[in-house]
Every structure is written in structure tokens, then in C-alpha cells.
């Protein structure tokens, strides 16, 4: 890595560390510590989602016009103000306003940081750069949550104020680090797909005319809804209601997920970086199918409580392995599909799809708690759908987009692919 990439990754890790301090305890803070009840806590989570959905459609164009650096700095300052205000708020209105600022800041950071990574990498190094980003994020979140759990005390609101204060400082640290980053080249990326000047209309219209990107957005929505959207909602409800999993076991399951990512990330990277991206994503769908089947076994009640707990923890670990395979696959593919000058727009669109999937994730709670076996059946089918959608996407990609390791070998022959954007063939 060059100096710019090292600073971007360091700032990203420190920010994740700060977020890890507060994310596991937000519900307890609003509902119990501030005594506002479960509805107020739920409203705070809704505010996070709403602010992201409002901010992200506007973010991509700003990144492409002004560059990602000022966007990251502005988002970090907004998130810092929101975090500090949240730690000091006692009423529902200031808490919701603080959540709006914090949620918008965090949401806008994602595509801006991703664009910085794209600008500081090449198709050959991009896979490892995004794998490292995902690894550092999870490591930071895990360490932050672990330390934060030792600090919080429900009888002392000041302990929660301290956590939000630390989070606010970490956002400012990110802004300071990014201020020192010297981007290696201008917004025009020399290895990007050439822009099709024959296409007119807004940036969003041009994006939606890009068939391969639309298919990737659909696939991304299904992936995030079936995995991330279920972690703390539907799957947790299934585990506690149908499988009889205790809260402490659920904590172990979440730890197993993070542990699997941290341990497997770079082992998995060596296996996937020389294979077709579409087939890697399809394999993730099959792994998650197995994970959902194992989760279903934990809820059947045929074994002991220990067997049910082991099965549930295994489910979360398998999800982690799948996530480790996706981190060096999805984000670089978004960058490789983006036409010249539109990387920020494409990153923002993908982040928006992710936020929509996370916002809709709790829809699985009634099924997970009330009709558990139907819930498992639905997400087994959804996981198989991920594999099918991935293979369909592969038919829309050029050889280099699907397998970037070809850039390190011989020249790739021109191949006509059914994509709405012109494909660049390396020489």
C-alpha cells in the first residue's frame, strides 16, 4: 500500500472502533437509561435509516464533482456532532435529531471512502484493498464493542455519554487523517470503463440503463436483506423464540460471526481473488443455504439445548465466511462497472441499496418468531436465489470484470457481452 491507502485504511479502522462503542448499546441507552421506552428507541433506529435513504441519492453526484475528500470530512464532522449530541440528549426530539445527523454522516462516509480506495488502487490491487477495509472494520467494531461493554453501566448515564463522546472523537480523527491524504491522481480514473457519450439524461438514468449494474444492485439488495438484515432482527427472533437460544448464546453467535471474518478473511482472499467473481458470489449463496438449514435444525427441538446452541453459533460463523468472500468481490466489482467519472455515483447507489435492505430486514421478525419453519424455508430459497442471480450477472460481465486476475496474465481477447456500457479490453 502507498501512504494514501495506509491512511485511508487507518482512518476507516479507527472510525469502526468508535462506532463499535455505541452500536450494541443504543437501544438500552434510549429505552432504559433515558427512560423513553421501546417506541422511542425504535424511532431512533428508523431515524438512522431515513437519514441514510435521504442523503445517499444526493451523495454520488457530489463525490464525482467535488471529489471524495471533502465529502468524507463533511460527513465525519456531521456524524461527530450527531454522536456527541446523542450522548447529551435526554428527550425524544433531540435524540431523533441527533440520530438523523449521525445516520446521515455514517451513510455518506461509505461511498466516499470506497471511492477514495478506488482512486488509490488499480484493478489488480482493488480486491485486496477492499478485503483489508472489511477486515479492519470488523476488527474495529469487535474491539470497540468489547471495550464499550466494560465501560457502560445502566445506572450511570454518564458512562453512555462517555461512549458517545469517544465515538465523536473518532469521527474527528477520521476527518483529520483524511485531510492529510494526498490523492494520487485526478477524479478521472485511467482504468475506468469509458463513458458512453451517446447516452443522455441524469446520472441516475444512465446508471439505471446499465444492465449489468442494475443486476448487481438487485443481487446486492437480496444479499444484504438475507444476511445483514436478519442478524439482529429476524434470525435473532427465530433463535430466541423457536430455538430457545439465550441472550448470552446470541452474543456468542455474534462473536463467532466476527471471529470467522477476522480469522478467515485473508485465507479466503487467496482462494477467491483468482476465481470468477460471479461464481464466488454463487458459492456464497450455497454456503448461506447450508447456514439456514443448520439454523432450522436448531429450532426443531430434536436435540439438546447444547446442540441447538452449537447449531445456531455455526450458522453465524458460516455467514461470516460468506461475508469474508463477498468483501473482496462486491465493492471492487461496483468500481469496475462504473464508467469514467461516475465511481462516486455507482458507490452511492450500491450503499443506498444496502441501506434499503437493512431498513426492510426487520420484516422477517414476525415470521422468525411466529412461523419459524416457514421463515427458514423462505431464506433457504432466497439464498439459492443469490446463487442463481450471481450466475446470471456473470453473463453480463466482461472477462476482466468477472476475473480481474486476467490483467496480470496475457492480453485478453475481445469478447462481446450483452452490457449497455462499452467494455474496455486491456492491452
Amino acid at each position: 500500500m502507498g501512504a494514501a491507502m495506509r491512511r485511508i485504511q487507518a482512518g476507516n479502522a479507527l472510525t469502526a472502533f468508535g462506532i463499535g462503542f455505541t452500536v450494541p448499546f443504543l437501544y438500552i441507552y434510549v429505552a432504559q437509561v433515558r427512560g423513553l421506552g421501546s417506541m422511542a428507541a425504535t424511532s431512533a433506529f428508523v431515524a438512522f435509516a431515513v437519514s441514510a435513504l435521504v442523503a445517499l441519492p444526493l451523495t454520488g453526484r457530489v463525490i464525482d464533482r467535488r471529489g471524495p475528500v471533502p465529502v468524507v470530512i463533511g460527513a465525519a464532522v456531521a456524524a461527530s456532532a450527531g454522536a456527541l449530541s446523542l450522548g447529551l440528549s435526554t428527550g425524544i426530539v433531540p435524540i431523533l435529531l441527533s440520530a438523523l445527523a449521525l445516520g446521515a454522516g455514517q451513510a455518506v462516509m461509505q461511498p466516499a471512502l470506497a471511492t477514495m480506495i478506488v482512486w488509490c488502487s488499480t484493478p489488480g490491487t482493488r480486491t485486496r484493498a477492499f478485503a483489508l477495509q472489511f477486515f479492519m472494520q470488523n476488527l474495529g467494531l469487535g474491539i470497540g464493542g468489547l471495550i464499550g461493554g466494560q465501560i457502560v453501566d445502566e445506572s450511570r448515564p454518564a458512562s453512555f455519554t462517555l461512549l458517545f463522546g469517544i465515538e465523536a472523537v473518532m469521527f474527528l480523527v477520521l476527518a483529520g487523517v483524511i485531510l492529510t491524504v494526498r490523492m494520487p491522481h485526478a477524479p478521472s480514473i485511467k482504468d475506468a470503463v469509458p463513458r458512453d457519450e451517446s447516452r443522455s439524461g441524469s446520472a441516475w438514468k444512465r446508471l439505471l440503463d446499465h444492465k449489468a449494474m442494475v443486476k448487481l444492485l438487485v443481487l446486492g439488495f437480496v444479499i444484504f436483506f438475507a444476511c445483514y438484515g436478519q442478524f439482529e432482527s429476524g434470525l435473532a427472533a427465530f433463535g430466541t423464540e423457536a430455538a430457545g437460544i439465550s441472550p448470552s448464546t446470541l452474543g456468542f453467535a455474534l462473536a463467532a460471526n466476527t471471529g470467522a471474518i477476522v480469522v478467515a478473511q485473508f485465507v479466503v482472499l487467496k482462494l477467491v481473488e483468482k476465481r470468477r467473481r460471479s461464481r464466488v458470489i454463487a458459492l456464497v449463496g450455497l454456503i448461506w443455504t447450508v447456514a439456514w438449514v443448520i439454523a432450522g435444525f436448531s429450532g426443531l427441538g430434536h436435540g439438546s439445548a447444547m446442540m441447538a446452541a452449537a447449531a445456531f453459533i455455526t450458522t453465524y460463523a458460516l455467514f461470516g465466511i460468506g461475508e469474508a468472500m463477498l468483501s473482496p468481490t462486491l465493492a471492487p466489482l461496483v468500481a469496475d462497472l462504473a464508467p469514467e467519472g461516475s465511481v462516486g455515483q455507482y458507490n452511492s447507489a450500491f450503499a443506498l441499496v444496502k441501506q434499503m435492505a437493512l431498513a426492510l430486514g426487520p420484516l422477517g421478525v414476525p415470521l422468525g418468531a411466529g412461523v419459524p419453519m416457514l421463515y427458514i424455508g423462505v431464506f433457504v430459497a432466497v439464498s439459492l436465489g443469490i446463487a442463481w442471480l450471481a450466475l446470471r450477472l456473470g453473463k453480463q460481465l466482461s472477462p476482466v470484470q468477472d476475473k480481474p486476475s486476467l490483467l496480470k496474465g496475457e492480453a485478453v481477447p475481445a469478447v462481446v457481452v450483452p452490457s449497455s456500457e462499452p467494455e474496455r479490453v486491456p492491452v
Side-chain angles (χ1 to χ4, degrees):
M1 293 186 297
M5 182 68 80
R6 284 198 298 271
R7 294 180 185 185
I8 294 168
Q9 298 286 16
N12 181 70
L14 290 171
T15 303
F17 174 73
I19 294 173
F21 266 87
T22 62
V23 168
F25 315 109
L26 181 60
Y27 182 91
I28 296 174
Y29 171 70
V30 177
Q32 299 178 16
V33 175
R34 294 305 185 190
L36 299 175
S38 59
M39 285 302 296
T42 302
S43 298
F45 284 110
V46 171
F48 272 107
V50 169
S51 61
L53 296 178
V54 171
L56 283 171
L58 309 173
T59 301
R61 198 63 181 155
V62 177
I63 293 174
D64 290 328
R65 287 183 174 181
R66 303 296 182 186
V69 171
V71 176
V72 173
I73 293 171
V77 171
S80 178
L84 183 60
S85 176
L86 194 57
L88 297 173
S89 299
T90 58
I92 181 62
V93 173
I95 281 178
L96 291 181
L97 292 175
S98 301
L100 286 171
L102 179 56
Q106 287 183 262
V108 170
M109 278 181 215
Q110 297 177 32
L113 284 170
T115 302
M116 291 187 73
I117 292 175
V118 172
W119 286 16
C120 294
S121 63
T122 66
T125 62
R126 202 162 287 150
T127 296
R128 287 180 172 266
F130 278 103
L132 179 61
Q133 181 199 34
F134 189 70
F135 172 83
M136 298 297 284
Q137 280 180 338
N138 279 275
L139 189 62
L141 286 170
I143 295 175
L146 182 64
I147 297 175
Q150 308 307 309
I151 296 175
V152 293
D153 183 347
E154 293 179 39
S155 64
R156 291 192 306 112
S159 66
F160 287 84
T161 302
L162 175 61
L163 293 191
F164 285 106
I166 293 173
E167 182 181 27
V169 169
M170 289 298 102
F171 285 128
L172 294 180
V173 169
L174 171 65
V177 170
I178 295 303
L179 272 173
T180 68
V181 174
R182 292 188 176 183
M183 302 305 291
H185 47 68
S188 179
I189 302 174
K190 63 181 181 181
D191 58 313
V193 175
R195 181 186 295 277
D196 186 354
E197 299 296 342
S198 66
R199 295 192 177 277
S200 59
S202 67
W204 277 101
K205 183 180 184 300
R206 291 195 298 269
L207 185 150
L208 294 175
D209 284 342
H210 190 170
K211 294 180 181 179
M213 185 60 189
V214 170
K215 287 191 175 183
L216 180 58
L217 291 176
V218 172
L219 176 59
F221 178 87
V222 176
I223 286 173
F224 292 124
F225 179 74
C227 176
Y228 301 92
Q230 302 307 309
F231 272 2
E232 296 178 5
S233 57
L235 189 53
F238 170 85
T240 54
E241 297 292 336
I245 300 299
S246 66
S248 60
T249 300
L250 181 60
F252 280 117
L254 290 168
N257 174 262
T258 302
I261 292 170
V262 171
V263 171
Q265 182 65 82
F266 293 104
V267 176
V268 167
L269 178 61
K270 292 181 179 180
L271 299 177
V272 305
E273 65 179 346
K274 294 184 179 180
R275 288 168 174 78
R276 295 186 181 277
R277 287 165 167 169
S278 56
R279 294 181 183 178
V280 170
I281 300 171
L283 179 58
V284 172
L286 297 179
I287 291 173
W288 286 357
T289 299
V290 174
W292 283 107
V293 170
I294 294 175
F297 170 79
S298 72
L300 290 176
H302 295 325
S304 65
M306 184 175 294
M307 289 180 61
F312 200 72
I313 291 172
T314 301
T315 296
Y316 273 76
L318 287 174
F319 273 119
I321 292 173
E323 292 175 75
M325 295 171 67
L326 289 175
S327 64
T329 305
L330 289 176
L333 180 54
V334 173
D336 290 348
L337 285 174
E340 186 177 6
S342 298
V343 175
Q345 183 72 37
Y346 275 55
N347 280 326
S348 296
F350 199 72
L352 177 61
V353 164
K354 178 179 179 179
Q355 290 296 329
M356 291 172 62
L358 294 178
L360 295 175
L363 293 177
V365 171
L367 276 181
V371 195
M373 288 303 109
L374 176 60
Y375 175 75
I376 294 297
V378 166
F379 281 97
V380 165
V382 169
S383 297
L384 291 173
I386 290 172
W388 179 76
L389 288 170
L391 295 177
R392 293 267 297 178
L393 172 64
K395 297 178 180 179
Q396 295 284 331
L397 304 176
S398 71
V400 170
Q401 287 171 341
D402 202 19
K403 191 177 181 181
S405 61
L406 291 173
L407 287 170
K408 300 177 182 179
E410 299 298 325
V412 182
V415 176
V416 178
V417 295
S419 173
S420 60
E421 294 287 350
E423 303 299 333
R424 178 182 58 82
V425 178
V427 177

